[in-house]
Amino acid sequence: MARVLVLNATYEPINVCTLRRAAVLLLKEKAELLEQRNGDALHSEHMTLERPDVIRLVNYVRIPREAHRRKITRRAVLARDSWTCQYCGSTKSGLTVDHVIPRSRGGSSTWDNIVAACASCNRKKGNRLPREIHMHPKSTPKAPAPTVFIQVASPKMPASWQQYLPQAA
C-alpha cells in the first residue's frame, strides 16, 4: 500500500497517510506537494496529479505530544529499540517485549519499563529483576520520539523522507 509522509505547516513530521488521503488533501488545497515519486502520476478523466511522496499541510495543526499517553504497542517498542534485543544485542526476527521489572513483581506497563528482547533472553530473565540475574538493558527505556510512530506506520521509509525526519530518531 502506498504511503505518504505528512508534514505540519512547520515542516514537522506528524503522520503517514494513504495515497488516496494525500490526493484528497492536495485537491482540496489543504496541503502542498513537496516530494513526488518520479515517473508516477495519478490520472483522472480531466486531470493528472503527480504522485505525492511528501506533503505539507497549509495550516498548522496542533498535535499534543504527551508521549506517556501514546499507546504502547509491540511494534512501537521494537521500533524505539531499533529492532534489537536490549539484553544481548541480537537483531534476529521474532523479537518479543519484556518488562524490565516484571508485572508479577510490581512492574508497570509503561514506556520506561518495557524493552525489546529476543525470545531466549526473555525466557532466561523470566520473572526476575535485572539485578538478580545480572541482565540489564543496554539502554535505559524511555518514551519514544514522535518519529517512531512514523517508522511503525511505514517501516520501509523512502529515501525522499529522510531529509524531513530528525536524525535523532
Side-chain angles (χ1 to χ4, degrees):
M1 178 179 283
R3 297 297 206 177
V4 178
L5 178 63
V6 180
L7 305 178
N8 213 336
T10 58
Y11 290 87
E12 172 189 15
I14 58 171
N15 196 7
V16 175
C17 71
T18 64
L19 178 58
R20 179 180 176 152
R21 177 72 179 139
V24 168
L25 288 169
L26 289 169
L27 291 171
K28 287 185 170 186
E29 298 180 352
K30 302 225 180 235
E32 66 177 351
L33 180 67
L34 294 181
E35 300 283 338
Q36 60 198 32
R37 175 90 32 108
N38 292 334
D40 278 347
L42 305 174
H43 301 280
S44 75
E45 184 178 356
H46 299 289
M47 69 178 298
T48 299
L49 179 70
E50 294 296 326
R51 186 208 179 277
D53 222 15
V54 179
I55 61 173
R56 182 180 77 93
L57 298 177
V58 174
N59 296 314
Y60 179 78
V61 176
R62 186 180 170 281
I63 306 291
R65 293 291 181 200
E66 296 144 350
H68 64 280
R69 290 191 182 178
R70 289 185 181 262
K71 185 175 180 183
I72 300 173
T73 64
R74 178 181 169 275
R75 286 188 64 175
V77 171
L78 298 179
R80 179 200 65 188
D81 292 345
S82 302
W83 287 276
T84 304
C85 174
Q86 293 301 294
Y87 297 112
C88 71
S90 170
T91 57
K92 294 185 284 188
S93 63
L95 289 174
T96 63
V97 294
D98 177 58
H99 287 80
V100 178
I101 299 171
R103 290 189 307 174
S104 64
R105 306 281 291 270
S108 59
S109 291
T110 57
W111 286 111
D112 56 356
N113 192 45
I114 297 177
V115 295
C118 66
S120 60
C121 285
N122 202 342
R123 278 193 304 274
K124 181 179 174 185
K125 183 174 168 288
N127 73 336
R128 293 175 279 200
L129 298 173
R131 61 181 158 74
E132 293 174 349
I133 193 164
H134 304 292
M135 286 179 69
H136 299 280
K138 294 190 182 308
S139 61
T140 304
K142 60 183 179 184
T147 53
V148 163
F149 297 94
I150 291 172
Q151 292 174 347
V152 169
S154 185
K156 294 182 180 178
M157 287 188 260
S160 62
W161 292 15
Q162 296 305 320
Q163 65 182 335
Y164 300 102
L165 299 175
Q167 296 304 317

